[in-house]
């Protein structure tokens, strides 16, 4: 959920951008409503064919100079020791649209005590890395 809050914060800087999130986020109040109103695209990851169609439809926005924000890892690794395998959709869209990939790295959530389900004081840091031009074709 904090990843989504990072998106909302960054949308003010990025301008013309939308993001993709799993549909379950839509039902988390009040965050889901705010994200839906901001134009976020929600996909059902249990239906891969349908999810890919939604991603392809969202990729049409790229042709209108809108940035598409995708979390290719899908789900954050709760242990935080390594990245999970990336999903293919983000990279397929980048190649199809010939749009650069701009990696954004979120810091670990050191301020969350998962065992006690409590937040401590802390900061979430988002680093923006150099764009990676797409190569090849599908």
């Amino acid at each position: 959920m904090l990843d989504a809050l990072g998106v909302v914060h960054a949308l003010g800087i990025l301008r013309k951008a939308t993001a993709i999130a799993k549909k379950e986020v839509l039902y988390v109040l009040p965050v889901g409503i705010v994200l839906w109103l901001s134009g976020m695209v929600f996909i059902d990851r249990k239906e891969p064919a349908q999810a890919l169609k939604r991603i392809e439809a969202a990729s049409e926005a790229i042709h209108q100079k809108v940035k598409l924000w995708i979390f290719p890892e899908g789900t954050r690794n709760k242990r935080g020791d390594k990245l999970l395998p990336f999903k293919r959709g983000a990279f397929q869209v980048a190649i199809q649209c010939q749009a650069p990939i701009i990696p954004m790295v979120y810091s670990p959530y050191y301020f969350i005590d998962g065992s006690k389900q409590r937040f401590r004081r802390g900061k979430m840091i988002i680093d923006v890395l150099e764009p990676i031009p797409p190569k090849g074709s599908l």
Side-chain angles (χ1 to χ4, degrees):
M1 296 312 309
L2 293 176
D3 290 347
L5 293 174
V7 169
V8 171
H9 177 73
L11 286 176
I13 299 164
L14 293 174
R15 309 268 184 251
K16 287 191 156 186
T18 190
I20 292 180
K22 60 185 177 182
K23 76 171 189 174
E24 291 82 4
V25 174
L26 179 61
Y27 305 110
V28 178
L29 298 175
V31 175
I33 293 171
V34 171
L35 296 174
W36 180 73
L37 289 171
S38 72
M40 185 168 281
V41 177
F42 295 95
I43 61 169
D44 186 352
R45 295 188 306 178
K46 294 175 185 161
E47 300 282 340
Q50 196 70 348
L52 189 55
K53 285 181 184 176
R54 294 273 298 157
I55 291 172
E56 287 173 357
S59 71
E60 292 300 318
I62 293 174
H63 294 295
Q64 300 170 15
K65 303 294 183 199
V66 173
K67 296 167 192 78
L68 184 60
W69 193 327
I70 301 176
F71 294 91
E73 195 176 2
T75 300
R76 181 179 277 267
N77 183 349
K78 291 184 177 28
R79 293 188 325 191
D81 57 348
K82 63 180 180 174
L83 288 173
L84 296 175
F86 285 175
K87 310 280 189 234
R88 296 176 307 187
F91 306 100
Q92 290 175 334
V93 168
I95 292 169
Q96 178 182 353
C97 297
Q98 289 298 295
I101 296 170
I102 303 171
M104 298 179 74
V105 182
Y106 283 63
S107 63
Y109 295 154
Y110 64 89
F111 49 85
I112 296 176
D113 183 346
S115 62
K116 296 180 183 176
Q117 297 184 344
R118 293 187 185 161
F119 285 88
R120 294 187 309 266
R121 242 195 161 117
K123 293 182 180 182
M124 177 172 55
I125 300 166
I126 303 172
D127 286 322
V128 180
L129 307 179
E130 291 297 317
I132 303 168
K135 294 181 181 175
S137 61
L138 294 176

